[in-house]
Amino acid sequence: MIKFFSLGAAFTLALAASGLLVSAYAEDKGPIPAPTIALINAQKIMKESLAAQSLLEQVDKVHRKERDKIAALEDSLRDERQKIDRQRTVLTTEKYQEKVREWENKSGEHIREAEKRKRALDIALNRSLAKIKNALYVIIQDISENRGINLVFNKLQFFFGDPEMDITEEALVRLNKELKTVELPSIDETVGK
């Protein structure tokens, strides 16, 4: 049965089969081994794994908490601005402008702090995702060694592939067994770093 896959992979395999890559490889390590290919849907694993789902729940909880904080702060700033505007008729122009500048500075500081916390959440999330990806990489290496696989492609790069080549479910089961949760570092810890 003929299976179709990406042109880049086909080109690489054609070069290897034709011997054009052999001379560069052979100088250091000997002849290029025949490819034993596997496919994996890493995106599916990163979406469906227990660790990724636990991380998503943590991120959602932090987002809600931060959103509530920002909403309360915006309400406070709006009330403060309305109070300043109500005092406009009793304050001198200079005093009114001074209060407006103070409010703008305070408002700007809160915006910068919110942006800083958002960046900290992104950093914390990326660090936690890296833990999942690293664990998955180790699992893929182990599966490859056990099965004699020397080339693993992301399944999403291919149109078709023999289901026997797909190691996604095996990798997902092992990841769920080995890494059930990943802790999201707190934003406050990340901001401090």
Side-chain angles (χ1 to χ4, degrees):
M1 175 187 246
I2 297 175
K3 301 293 177 180
F4 298 95
F5 50 94
S6 77
L7 291 176
F11 183 69
T12 303
L13 290 175
L15 283 176
S18 71
L20 291 176
L21 293 179
V22 172
S23 61
Y25 189 85
E27 290 176 12
D28 294 335
K29 300 179 183 180
I32 294 177
T36 304
I37 301 170
L39 301 175
I40 192 160
N41 187 338
Q43 184 178 9
K44 176 182 178 180
I45 292 172
M46 291 302 293
K47 182 178 180 184
E48 295 179 7
S49 72
L50 295 175
Q53 290 177 0
S54 77
L55 185 59
L56 182 60
E57 289 173 10
Q58 293 172 64
V59 168
D60 284 343
K61 185 177 177 181
V62 171
H63 270 289
R64 282 192 303 275
K65 183 178 171 184
E66 291 296 313
R67 195 171 35 241
D68 291 346
K69 252 190 214 180
I70 290 171
L73 183 60
E74 286 174 348
D75 289 344
S76 172
L77 286 170
R78 186 174 36 258
D79 291 345
E80 189 178 328
R81 179 59 193 243
Q82 288 172 351
K83 181 180 173 185
I84 292 169
D85 287 342
R86 282 192 302 268
Q87 294 174 350
R88 185 176 195 167
T89 56
V90 295
L91 295 174
T92 65
T93 304
E94 293 161 353
K95 189 68 174 169
Y96 172 76
Q97 289 174 349
E98 179 184 327
K99 285 188 176 264
V100 168
R101 277 192 301 276
E102 288 172 3
W103 179 88
E104 288 172 347
N105 289 339
K106 185 176 180 182
S107 177
E109 182 59 37
H110 289 303
I111 290 170
R112 286 187 290 281
E113 181 64 24
E115 289 170 354
K116 184 178 177 183
R117 294 181 68 79
K118 182 188 179 307
R119 281 192 305 273
L121 177 59
D122 290 344
I123 290 168
L125 175 59
N126 286 333
R127 286 180 182 161
S128 297
L129 284 173
K131 290 177 185 176
I132 299 171
K133 289 176 184 178
N134 290 338
L136 178 59
Y137 180 75
V138 170
I139 290 168
I140 293 169
Q141 281 185 313
D142 188 54
I143 292 170
S144 296
E145 287 174 14
N146 290 335
R147 289 193 182 188
I149 297 166
N150 58 15
L151 195 58
V152 178
F153 286 105
N154 188 340
K155 187 176 181 180
L156 299 178
Q157 296 173 335
F158 294 87
F159 295 115
F160 298 101
D162 188 336
E164 295 293 319
M165 299 169 73
D166 191 339
I167 62 171
T168 302
E169 289 306 316
E170 181 180 354
L172 179 58
V173 167
R174 286 196 45 195
L175 182 62
N176 284 340
K177 185 193 270 186
E178 295 176 22
L179 188 68
K180 292 180 178 30
T181 62
V182 172
E183 285 298 317
L184 180 71
S186 80
I187 292 179
D188 295 323
E189 289 174 18
T190 308
V191 166
K193 292 180 182 175

